[in-house]
Every structure is written in structure tokens, then in C-alpha cells.
Amino acid sequence: MYKTERFEASVSVEEYLDQYVDVETFLKCCRECSAYNVKWSCPPYDFDVVDYWRQYQVFDLTAVKILFDEAYAGRICTKEEQQEIFRKSVWKVKEELSKELFLREQKIPGSISLSAGSCMRCGEDCSRREGKPCPFPEEMRYSIESLGGNVGQTISRLMGIELEWMEEGRLPHYFVLVCGLLR
């Protein structure tokens, strides 16, 4: 169904803030997302995003390119088929990356990972919908985008990968998950 390619890069947090973070632009994008103000991992936040970044010195980035094989790449499919394919590929790789990052956090005291996309721990049942605190704050992680990071520009400049945007009803040839560790 798919194979993966892995890419890594490290950058100082100050350089990342200067060249890749645009909080206002990405907050505007986040406001258009169905997870905005619905998941604890998504804006709006009760903290200053730039101050959050500045707690750390180095940002170790990991990108995993999920390349669909010929039977799936560019395939036209229903939304349900697309979700099933993504569940078996993208969400599986995302879960593996999250586990890997949690292990890296344990090895580097004071570090924190940034997730590839919004938190999936509680699925659609995030307690934020009910105004309750996160029941799993030790597992909830923010994404790079939710903290103003331009992931497309990041992977293009630092890893030589161009994003392929999904079209309605058509699978992409590849999908890229980008996450990292702030230390």
C-alpha cells in the first residue's frame, strides 16, 4: 500500500522563529479548521506562542514521506475510502512517530515534542468541547502549525520536500508528516 522515506534536520529555535514562524497567518488558517477551539492541541491558547518556542534552544525536525504505491497514488475514491486508506497508512505512521517522540522526550529532560497535526488521543471526544480540562495532558502535544510554524516552507528549505496538496476525491501520490522535538 505504501512505503516511507525519513528526513531529519535541526535548527536553532531563534532561526526557526525568524524564518519559519508566522503566528498571525497560521492562526487565521487554524480559525478555519473544524478543530479550532475544539481540541486542546489547537488554538486559541491561553499562552503566548512565541514565548512557548523561546523556552527551547534547538528544534529537531523529523519528516516522514508516505509514498502510496501505484494502486493508491492519485486514485479517485470516496471520502470513506480515503479515510480508511489514511487510517491504515497516515494515522498508523503518525502513531509510530508519536511513540518515538515520547521516548526521545524521556531521554532528553526538559524537551517536548510537537505532533504531526492535531492531537488524536481522544479522537472527536476531546474534553475541550465540554469546557473540561484535558484528561491526558502528559500525552497531548501541539502541532508545528498550531504554533505558527510554516511546515511547507520548513520541509522545502530544510529537507528538499515539496508538499503535494490533496484534491477533493483523489488521493495524493504521497503525504508528509512533520513533527519534531524542542530541546
Side-chain angles (χ1 to χ4, degrees):
M1 171 183 241
Y2 68 92
K3 66 179 181 177
T4 61
E5 293 178 357
R6 186 181 181 102
F7 302 81
E8 295 181 352
S10 288
V11 63
S12 74
V13 168
E14 281 305 317
E15 180 182 342
Y16 196 77
L17 278 167
D18 183 55
Q19 295 185 25
Y20 301 98
V21 174
D22 182 346
V23 176
E24 286 308 310
T25 296
F26 285 90
L27 183 59
K28 183 179 176 185
C29 294
C30 286
R31 284 187 190 110
E32 296 172 15
C33 176
S34 62
Y36 181 80
N37 205 22
V38 172
K39 290 188 175 191
W40 283 114
S41 62
C42 298
Y45 299 128
D46 62 355
F47 59 86
D48 183 276
V49 171
V50 173
D51 288 344
Y52 184 88
W53 284 102
R54 287 200 167 120
Q55 296 175 82
Y56 306 94
Q57 283 74 50
V58 178
F59 188 24
D60 297 322
L61 289 140
T62 301
V64 175
K65 190 175 187 179
I66 302 164
L67 298 126
F68 294 109
D69 64 27
E70 287 183 25
Y72 293 92
R75 177 176 157 189
I76 295 174
C77 57
T78 65
K79 187 174 184 177
E80 293 77 21
E81 290 172 319
Q82 190 176 50
Q83 288 175 342
E84 180 63 15
I85 292 165
F86 272 49
R87 186 185 64 75
K88 291 179 178 177
S89 58
V90 176
W91 304 140
K92 181 180 176 207
V93 173
K94 179 178 175 169
E95 185 177 331
E96 292 167 2
L97 279 170
S98 293
K99 288 177 185 176
E100 175 188 324
L101 287 167
F102 284 139
L103 289 173
R104 288 178 64 194
E105 284 180 21
Q106 291 173 6
K107 292 177 183 176
I108 304 172
S111 66
I112 192 84
S113 58
L114 297 183
S115 174
S118 66
C119 181
M120 300 291 285
R121 173 62 175 86
C122 299
E124 296 301 315
D125 297 325
C126 181
S127 63
R128 188 171 186 177
R129 289 180 188 269
E130 300 166 10
K132 296 179 182 174
C134 177
F136 305 103
E138 69 283 353
E139 295 177 44
M140 190 282 297
R141 295 294 180 270
Y142 305 112
S143 69
I144 297 167
E145 301 94 328
S146 77
L147 297 174
N150 185 329
V151 170
Q153 195 173 68
T154 298
I155 64 172
S156 174
R157 289 184 187 170
L158 296 176
M159 299 174 184
I161 305 170
E162 296 301 324
L163 290 178
E164 180 180 342
W165 297 100
M166 287 182 31
E167 295 176 28
E168 187 73 32
R170 183 182 300 271
L171 283 178
H173 290 83
Y174 62 88
F175 196 86
V176 182
L177 293 177
V178 184
C179 55
L181 187 74
L182 289 167
R183 56 182 175 91

